[in-house]
Structures are given as C-alpha cells and as structure tokens.
C-alpha cells in the first residue's frame, strides 16, 4: 500500500471510528406514556420520528401506558427514566416520601373536561343533570367542580367508559377529553358541547414530564436535552407537518384512525393547550410556582393531601426557564 493510500485508509478509519463513537455516545432514555398512543402524545413521537432526540444525542424509546400499567411504579423501579405525569399524582407521591419531580409541562391546560348535550351552555349549567364520573375523577377534578359550582355527590353516577347512557339520555353529562368522546359523538351525529375544566380555572398542568430525583441528580444534562427535544417536537407536531409522528402513533396503536388523530390535533390547537396561558410569552413547557401552589391548595382543601406536604419539591423550572420555545 502506498503512503497516500495508507493516509486515506487512516482518514477513513478515523472518520468511521468517530461516527461509531457518536452512535455509542447517544444517551438512552425510556419514556413511558400515560395511555395508548394518540395525538395527545404526538410531540414525543414527533421528536422521535423527525430526529430531534437524535440531534440532542439521545436514543429515546417510547413505551405506551394503558389501563393495567402503573407508571409511577415503573418509574420508581427503573423501568422508565421519564414518564408522562400529572400534578396531583406527583403531589400525592411527594406526600408519601417518593422521590419524583416534574421537569416540564407539555400542556398549560389539563385535558380533562365535560361533554354535554347541546342544551348546556357552560359548566355552571349542570345543577339538574346526572354527572358521570369515573373513580379517578372523584379524587381529582370532581372535588374542584363541587367546590366551584355547589354540585353534590347525589348527582353522580359511575362512568364506565361506555357512551351509550349518554347517547340515550339528554339529561346525562359526562367526563371527557377533547378528542375522544366528542369524536365518537361526532361519528354518531350527536350534537355535543365540550367544556375544558382548565378554562374555568382548574389548575393542574397537562401531560407533564416526570422523573426521579436520582435520575435528575445523575443525568441533569440528559434531562435538559430530553425536555428541549420534546418541546421542539410539540411545536413541530402542532404547528408543522405531523405525518412522521402519526405513522409511529399508528404503529403502536393501529386502532387510532387518521380522522381521530386529525380531530385531536385540531382540538389541541383550538383550545391552545400547549401554547396558551404563560406559554404565550414564556414558551411552551413553562411551569409557574403559583399554578403548583394552586393545585396543592385545591388538594388540601378537598382533603386529598396533607397540609404539611412540601409542594415545592414537586417541580423544577431549571430545564425550561431559558428555552422560550414558542408554538404560534
């Protein structure tokens, strides 16, 4: 081999070694969602599908949650590094001494709301209605709704995630998410209204990113890059072309139709769940201390949380305070 050939061979070998080193250096992160893949998880799938995680030196695996999946247990057991969480869930965990913390909020508004027939004009108009509430709702939004409008437990019946009672009785209203139950009503040609609790002052954030204090202490830069790429993914998904993410969503959840995904994206944009409130000026993902305190106070007043709980431990702003990623 000539000296020139040896030099070229050496250069190629060095380049390949560098590429291999970069690939090996990618930090692995397992992210656990709260339910089956859907548009409401789209920002994370977009970050995966379009290389935003890869750009930040991350190798992210997205695992679906579901009705039989205990996300907090998996997070604490090391089966996930970051999970899709919820303020009340984190505050309850803090009260139990569990080492968890919220590092960003995908949505400024929790997605829980109420679906009614079209004769109801606001959440204040449910006094004479039968309200269907699932068991988890009785320890989250239902105490808030009772306090705000003076409703009673006598009005409620169990919500079993079957919409037939609602379709059969115009006096029934039920808990709902923006793009799930209303989409089914649309498919059946039943006119409905949907009221997002957050727009009436319900304080929790939605689709938060939660990790353990140990992961944060051991891998702060990984957490920072994960938050940045995920929020960029949300911006791209809601305001750009979501096709790449939708393919991954449907690969994980084949039951999710193109029509339902499109309806979900439309509703998230209409309700400004990601870019409303503080996110309009401070960027998506932002967490405000006042909002966390409001959730803490609501839980305490409803008897859901000990007053001595240190609510400050439930979140950090270190990874989102300087990002200012806008999605307009």
């Amino acid at each position: 081999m000539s000296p020139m050939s040896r030099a070229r061979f050496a250069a190629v070998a060095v380049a390949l070694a560098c590429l291999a080193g970069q690939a090996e250096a990618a930090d692995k992160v397992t992210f656990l969602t709260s339910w089956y893949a859907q548009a409401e998880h789209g920002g994370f799938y977009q970050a995966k599908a379009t290389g935003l995680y890869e750009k930040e030196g991350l190798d992210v695996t997205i695992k679906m949650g579901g009705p039989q999946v205990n996300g907090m247990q998996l997070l604490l057991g090391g089966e996930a590094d970051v999970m899709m969480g919820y303020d009340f869930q984190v505050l309850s965990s803090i009260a139990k001494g569990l080492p968890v913390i919220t590092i960003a909020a995908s949505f400024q508004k929790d997605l829980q709301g109420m679906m009614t027939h079209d004769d109801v004009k606001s959440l204040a108009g449910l006094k004479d209605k039968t309200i269907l509430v699932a068991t988890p709702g009785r320890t989250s939004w239902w105490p808030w709704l009772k306090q705000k409008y003076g409703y009673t437990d006598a009005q409620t019946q169990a919500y079993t995630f079957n919409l037939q009672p609602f379709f059969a009785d115009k006096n029934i209203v039920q808990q709902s998410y923006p793009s799930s139950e209303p989409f089914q009503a649309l498919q059946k040609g039943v006119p409905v209204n949907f009221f997002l609790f957050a727009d009436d002052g319900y304080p929790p954030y939605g689709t938060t990113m939660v990790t353990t204090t140990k992961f944060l202490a051991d891998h702060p830069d990984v957490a920072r890059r994960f938050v940045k790429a995920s929020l960029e993914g949300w911006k791209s998904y809601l305001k750009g072309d979501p096709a790449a993410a939708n393919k991954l969503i449907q690969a994980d959840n084949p039951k999710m139709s193109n029509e339902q995904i499109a309806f979900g994206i439309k509703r998230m944009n209409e309700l400004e769940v990601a870019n409303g409130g503080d996110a309009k000026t401070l960027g998506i993902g932002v967490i405000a201390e006042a909002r966390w305190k409001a959730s803490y106070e609501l839980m305490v007043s409803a008897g859901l949380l000990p007053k001595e709980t240190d609510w400050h431990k439930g979140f950090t702003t270190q990874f989102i305070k300087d990002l200012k990623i806008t999605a307009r």
Side-chain angles (χ1 to χ4, degrees):
M1 184 181 295
S2 69
M4 183 173 292
S5 296
R6 284 196 296 271
R8 286 175 178 171
F9 179 81
V12 170
V14 169
L16 290 173
C18 288
L19 288 173
Q22 289 172 3
E24 291 174 1
D27 293 297
K28 293 183 181 295
V29 176
T30 299
F31 177 67
L32 178 66
T33 71
S34 59
W35 200 250
Y36 303 127
Q38 54 191 275
E40 287 80 355
H41 305 165
F44 302 103
Y45 281 96
Q46 185 81 340
K48 173 77 172 177
T50 61
L52 290 168
Y53 287 135
E54 186 179 12
K55 181 181 175 182
E56 291 294 330
L58 301 175
D59 178 7
V60 175
T61 299
I62 301 176
K63 290 185 176 181
M64 286 197 304
Q68 306 303 320
V69 177
N70 187 325
M72 188 62 71
Q73 187 178 71
L74 293 177
L75 180 72
L76 293 168
E79 296 298 313
D81 301 306
V82 185
M83 63 171 275
M84 191 180 292
Y86 184 61
D87 299 2
F88 285 11
Q89 173 194 42
V90 170
L91 284 166
S92 294
S93 298
I94 295 296
K96 296 172 185 174
L98 300 177
V100 295
I101 188 167
T102 303
I103 56 177
S106 301
F107 301 149
Q108 293 299 297
K109 303 176 181 182
D110 179 64
L111 295 182
Q112 185 69 66
M114 189 74 70
M115 184 173 74
T116 74
H117 292 278
D118 58 352
D119 61 310
V120 177
K121 304 307 178 186
S122 72
L123 284 175
L126 309 182
K127 183 177 179 180
D128 300 318
K129 301 295 184 181
T130 297
I131 304 172
L132 303 188
V133 185
T135 299
R138 295 185 182 276
T139 55
S140 56
W141 58 267
W142 176 239
W144 167 80
L145 198 64
K146 285 198 299 181
Q147 288 179 13
K148 189 171 182 68
Y149 294 110
Y151 300 140
T152 67
D153 290 333
Q155 289 180 253
T156 66
Q157 292 181 10
Y159 177 44
T160 61
F161 298 91
N162 179 351
L163 270 64
Q164 291 311 309
F166 175 87
F167 292 142
D169 186 350
K170 287 204 69 171
N171 199 55
I172 285 179
V173 303
Q174 64 161 74
Q175 68 178 72
S176 171
Y177 283 95
S179 64
S180 178
E181 290 87 352
F183 180 76
Q184 295 179 57
L186 179 69
Q187 296 294 94
K188 286 186 69 70
V190 177
V192 299
N193 288 328
F194 174 81
F195 303 100
L196 193 71
F197 294 151
D199 287 340
D200 271 46
Y202 187 56
Y205 288 104
T207 312
T208 60
M209 302 174 214
V210 177
T211 188
T212 63
T213 54
K214 184 180 187 308
F215 182 85
L216 211 57
D218 293 345
H219 309 287
D221 190 56
V222 173
R224 179 191 63 78
R225 285 180 278 136
F226 179 81
V227 167
K228 180 176 184 292
S230 298
L231 295 179
E232 290 283 6
W234 275 115
K235 176 180 179 178
S236 173
Y237 187 70
L238 293 174
K239 299 302 179 181
D241 182 358
N246 291 345
K247 287 182 181 179
L248 291 187
I249 289 171
Q250 290 174 316
D252 277 354
N253 183 9
K255 293 182 179 179
M256 191 57 56
S257 68
N258 292 331
E259 292 78 14
Q260 184 159 1
I261 290 176
F263 185 78
I265 295 172
K266 175 175 176 287
R267 294 300 285 138
M268 285 189 287
N269 278 318
E270 289 172 345
L271 294 167
E272 294 189 319
V273 297
N275 57 3
D278 292 332
K280 288 183 177 181
T281 54
L282 300 177
I284 59 175
V286 66
I287 298 174
E289 182 174 298
R291 286 280 298 277
W292 266 87
K293 187 177 181 183
S295 289
Y296 157 79
E297 290 173 342
L298 171 58
M299 292 186 74
V300 170
S301 67
L304 302 174
L305 192 73
K307 188 175 182 179
E308 62 271 18
T309 302
D310 186 355
W311 56 273
H312 295 89
K313 289 183 177 180
F315 72 100
T316 178
T317 62
Q318 71 181 102
F319 302 110
I320 42 87
K321 62 182 179 179
D322 298 321
L323 282 178
K324 292 184 172 56
I325 299 171
T326 57
R328 307 304 300 172

